[in-house]
Amino acid sequence: MSVNGIGSYNYSSNYVGMNRTAQMRNRQKSAMGNVGSTQTSNITLHYTGANGDKALTAVGLPDGTSASVYKADNYNDADPEYRVRHWGKSGDYTDTNVRINDVDPENGSYLEMLAYATYSDVQGYTSDAFGNFLSAAGGVNADITYDESSVNVRKNFMNMVRDFMQMQYDNNNLAGYLSFKKFYDYMADGRN
């Protein structure tokens, strides 16, 4: 068990693998004779940009795509902006500039929330919002995944964090609950 969630694996590369619930579900399927896909994907995390800038965070997605969060070239403290670079399966990428003050956690995209959570950690408002976001974005049943077609779909991530926070509380994981609560309170306060 980790601080971020019950059975979550938060690797230093910030790639979230299968959590314990998903592993147990797959073991049960195998025991019943339903063997899941054996397909694997190669994921390349990009920590250095073409112009030498360093990624603040990076995440790999199950379909082999990845995303890295950088400070935008025109970053300023009064109106912080991060650049999220998303690499597709073929190695091509798209950049999404995210104005942190404009992100709405109740109606945001996965890419926007990567930048938002990274910003809150970098500024010291939270200590593991990025890890908490990755866990919560997978849903309390770990049955939500993201890929090239869904990283820009808008969702209520604030509710997802609240539900994951409540799950931590219900399972007597006080450290996990408090970590998610800090991120939830940050979103609720609107401190960008």
Side-chain angles (χ1 to χ4, degrees):
M1 176 166 49
S2 71
V3 172
N4 286 338
I6 298 174
S8 290
Y9 296 97
N10 291 310
Y11 298 102
S12 60
S13 64
N14 294 324
Y15 172 74
V16 176
M18 238 189 269
N19 73 16
R20 186 173 179 84
T21 304
Q23 288 174 354
M24 294 304 290
R25 190 178 316 117
N26 282 347
R27 283 188 195 129
Q28 289 170 350
K29 285 180 184 177
S30 295
M32 296 185 299
N34 182 5
V35 178
S37 171
T38 59
Q39 179 182 2
T40 61
S41 61
N42 294 321
I43 298 171
T44 302
L45 296 179
H46 302 268
Y47 282 104
T48 304
N51 59 357
D53 52 343
K54 303 284 186 208
L56 302 168
T57 54
V59 64
L61 302 173
D63 68 344
T65 64
S66 66
S68 298
V69 179
Y70 303 88
K71 278 190 176 180
D73 295 335
N74 58 347
Y75 182 87
N76 72 65
D77 288 331
D79 189 17
E81 187 173 328
Y82 279 13
R83 177 175 32 92
V84 181
R85 182 165 283 178
H86 177 254
W87 281 268
K89 292 177 191 175
S90 63
D92 57 328
Y93 64 84
T94 57
D95 284 337
T96 303
N97 285 340
V98 178
R99 293 181 64 202
I100 302 301
N101 294 334
D102 293 343
V103 175
D104 179 2
E106 293 179 299
N107 186 31
S109 73
Y110 185 82
L111 295 181
E112 288 174 337
M113 288 301 295
L114 288 176
Y116 185 84
T118 298
Y119 174 80
S120 66
D121 282 343
V122 168
Q123 295 301 311
Y125 299 129
T126 55
S127 58
D128 193 20
F130 185 77
N132 290 341
F133 169 70
L134 293 179
S135 295
V140 294
N141 295 317
D143 56 355
I144 302 171
T145 59
Y146 299 88
D147 58 26
E148 256 179 309
S149 65
S150 63
V151 293
N152 288 308
V153 173
R154 298 200 168 279
K155 293 184 176 189
N156 189 335
F157 287 105
M158 192 163 170
N159 279 349
M160 294 172 83
V161 169
R162 184 200 64 223
D163 293 346
F164 214 86
M165 176 180 70
Q166 185 62 47
M167 181 186 70
Q168 301 302 308
Y169 184 81
D170 293 345
N171 286 288
N172 295 316
N173 181 4
L174 186 57
Y177 167 78
L178 291 173
S179 181
F180 279 92
K181 183 172 182 354
K182 190 169 188 176
F183 183 41
Y184 182 82
D185 289 347
Y186 170 77
M187 292 187 290
D189 290 345
R191 292 187 314 199
N192 307 339

